[in-house]
Structure formats: structure tokens, C-alpha cells
Amino acid sequence: MLTLCGKGESDFTPVTDPISSKTLHVASSHPLGAVTAEEAFLLEKLNLGRLPRHLAVIMDGNGRWAQRRHLPRIAGHRKGTETARVTIETCSRLKIEALTLYAFSVENWRRPKAEIDFLMQLLREYLRQEMPLIQRNNIRMRFLGRADELPAAVQRDTREAMEATEQNTGMVLCIALNYGGRAEIVDAANALLAKRQTSGNSQKLTEAEIERHLYTSGLPDPDLLIRTSGEMRVSNFLLWQIAYAEIFVTETLWPDFNRARLLEAFADFQKRDRRYGGIGESEESESSSSRLARK
């Protein structure tokens, strides 16, 4: 159980938010500060020392969110940026080591040009508007994908964002942009082949060498992959890195994926028995009991 203020039991002070009239529960010593009653309940279930080191998120459902409200798809994308802001700041405050958000895939170029242009412009707006929050939370930014295929203005803005945050020492925020899992593996293999042709090295490739040439080089593999909107597929996202990731799928559409839903995913993650191809603790206990019974 999480002891929030050192008294050995739940120690939130309820106050009323004058804007929303919702009851907030304030724990001054907690990194999230004021939380709702639902968030406080979920936080009590969490062991903050066992959160995922690297969280990956497939942000799905913006279009359906807008459609259900009889709004244009772009309204869903804009609302989705608000969810991204909450997710980024929450993960940073909870000391998550890395967060990767799937923003635009190599397959997304098939969408209507007007929607693609809006998404690129929205990304540029987001980088300008959110940079104060990024800096305030000591976040370092990285962009994963084939950057040279992006519009020149987007390339410039992403490069400037990385340069502006490269000295930060907190959470690494990775934005997967013009990203594809298969493309990443191909790019890593081609980089290795080019290096070997130069050096004359003819030895077999190893997993470690490939990992060093992936876009995520230097980061731990994701422990948890969250997909919103209920779709049961990984959509060509971090195919190498999620080999042993726990997967949490929620029916919640991305624009509605609030802080409580994120904490819910963390709580579910902490219930998992991560075996990495071996035997889990419960199975090992049963096996030991069986051996003792036979003696």
C-alpha cells in the first residue's frame, strides 16, 4: 500500500474545486498534488516503486471521439493533445523513466491531405505551446521515425525541441513520428550493413548490435504498452521493443483517457506476473509444493 503522507493510512484532505465543484483530495507531499476521489482511490493501490520504467502508448480513437459528437475529425485530434499533456506531466511527476507516444505512423500518409496537414500543424503548435511545461518538468525530448521524410518546417521544429531539452535530466519523452516498427528494424539493419561494409566485418549480427541501432537506443524496452479505443493490435509499433511488454487495452477513446484511466493501467500492470519466458512466482510455488508432497 502507498502511504501518502507518512501516517500509515490514507491522508488526503478533501477540498472543493470552485470551478468544477468536484471534491479534490490534496496530499501536499505527493507528486501529483490535488487529485480526485477516484484518483486517490487508485493511488492507494499503487506501489510507486514498481511503476513501469518505460511506458508506450498507442493513442487511438480521436476520430471516433469526434464522430460520436458530430464534430470534424480534427476536433478529436485537438482534444487528444490535451490528453497527451496530462499523460506526459503525470508520468514525469511519477518519475517514469521514458514515455513513448505513437503520434504518426508511416501508414498515416494514406489519410486525406487536409488531415495530414492539420496534424503536422498541430504538432508544431503543440511543441511551441508545451515547451514551458516540458522545460518545467525537466523532460528531454526525442523523436522516433524517418525524420527526413517529414515537411521541412516540422523537421526544424523537432530538431529545435531536441536541442532545447538535451541538457534536461528527467523523463525522456519520445514522439513516434513517421514511425513504423518494420521500418525501424530495416533502418537498423541497413545502418549495420553499411558499417560492416566499411570495416570489412563479416561476423553474424547480434541482438545487442541491432538494439544499438534502433531509434530507441539507450532506452529500456517498454514494460507496459497501453492501447486506447479497444482495438486488439499493436499497429506496427515498437515491434522489437515490446517483445516482453505487458499490454493494457481499454475501450476508452484517447481524448477521454484521463489521469484516473492512466493510474488504472498502472494498477493493472502491478498485478501481472512477468515471467519473460520462465516460470512465474505462483507456478514456482505450486511446483515446489508438488515436489514436497511427493517426498
Side-chain angles (χ1 to χ4, degrees), residues 5-276:
C5 292
K7 294 185 179 179
E9 58 186 49
S10 178
D11 197 12
F12 290 99
T13 302
V15 297
T16 301
D17 180 354
I19 297 176
S20 66
S21 298
K22 292 182 178 179
T23 299
L24 303 179
H25 294 252
V26 180
S28 59
S29 65
H30 193 271
L32 296 186
V35 296
T36 66
E38 182 183 18
E39 291 166 353
F41 173 76
L42 290 165
L43 282 166
E44 281 287 346
K45 294 181 174 183
L46 288 179
N47 177 347
L48 295 189
R50 293 184 53 244
L51 293 174
R53 292 180 65 197
H54 185 170
L55 170 66
V57 184
I58 300 175
M59 307 179 292
D60 193 23
N62 290 344
R64 273 166 285 174
W65 183 91
Q67 185 179 37
R68 291 176 186 179
R69 289 160 178 77
H70 306 289
L71 297 171
R73 286 176 58 86
I74 60 174
H77 293 312
R78 191 170 290 281
K79 181 68 174 176
T81 63
E82 297 177 17
T83 301
R85 179 187 306 118
V86 172
T87 301
I88 292 166
E89 188 160 32
T90 301
C91 288
S92 175
R93 291 186 175 191
L94 291 177
K95 307 300 182 185
I96 302 295
E97 190 173 329
L99 169 66
T100 299
L101 302 177
Y102 201 5
F104 191 88
S105 74
V106 293
E107 292 84 11
N108 286 156
W109 294 109
R110 302 170 187 166
R111 294 186 178 188
K113 184 178 184 301
E115 182 174 353
I116 292 172
D117 290 345
F118 175 81
L119 288 171
M120 294 299 161
Q121 183 59 36
L122 186 62
L123 171 69
R124 299 186 66 204
E125 288 178 16
Y126 182 85
L127 291 176
R128 288 194 297 270
Q129 294 172 2
E130 299 303 317
M131 189 52 64
L133 179 143
I134 297 294
Q135 297 287 27
R136 188 166 61 248
N137 285 278
N138 194 31
I139 294 169
R140 181 157 51 97
M141 295 198 73
R142 286 175 63 171
F143 293 86
L144 315 180
R146 292 177 169 173
D148 59 335
E149 297 175 356
L150 293 168
V154 175
Q155 291 186 47
R156 183 182 64 250
D157 288 355
T158 55
R159 184 171 58 253
E160 289 176 355
M162 287 190 290
E163 291 172 352
T165 63
E166 64 183 353
Q167 299 302 318
N168 291 346
T169 58
M171 183 181 78
V172 179
L173 171 61
C174 301
I175 306 296
L177 189 62
N178 193 29
Y179 174 88
R182 291 179 175 179
E184 178 180 23
I185 295 169
V186 168
D187 288 350
N190 282 330
L192 270 168
L193 286 172
K195 184 179 293 186
R196 292 197 164 202
Q197 286 174 353
T198 301
S199 65
N201 186 346
S202 60
Q203 294 181 343
K204 291 183 178 180
L205 296 178
T206 66
E207 287 189 15
E209 286 179 300
I210 293 174
E211 286 176 354
R212 285 196 295 271
H213 288 78
L214 294 174
Y215 304 147
T216 54
S217 177
L219 296 176
D221 287 341
D223 305 285
L224 175 63
L225 169 65
I226 295 175
R227 176 156 194 155
T228 58
S229 86
E231 301 292 346
M232 302 294 288
R233 57 180 179 271
V234 296
S235 295
N236 198 20
F237 184 47
L238 299 177
L239 297 180
W240 179 285
Q241 297 90 334
I242 63 171
Y244 287 101
E246 300 297 322
I247 299 177
F248 180 86
V249 178
T250 174
E251 294 290 335
T252 304
L253 302 178
W254 177 245
D256 292 326
F257 189 79
N258 56 25
R259 191 162 65 174
R261 303 287 73 76
L262 177 62
L263 297 176
E264 188 175 61
F266 288 156
D268 182 85
F269 169 78
Q270 292 187 350
K271 296 176 185 176
R272 306 286 181 92
D273 184 8
R274 307 191 72 200
R275 297 187 293 274
Y276 298 98

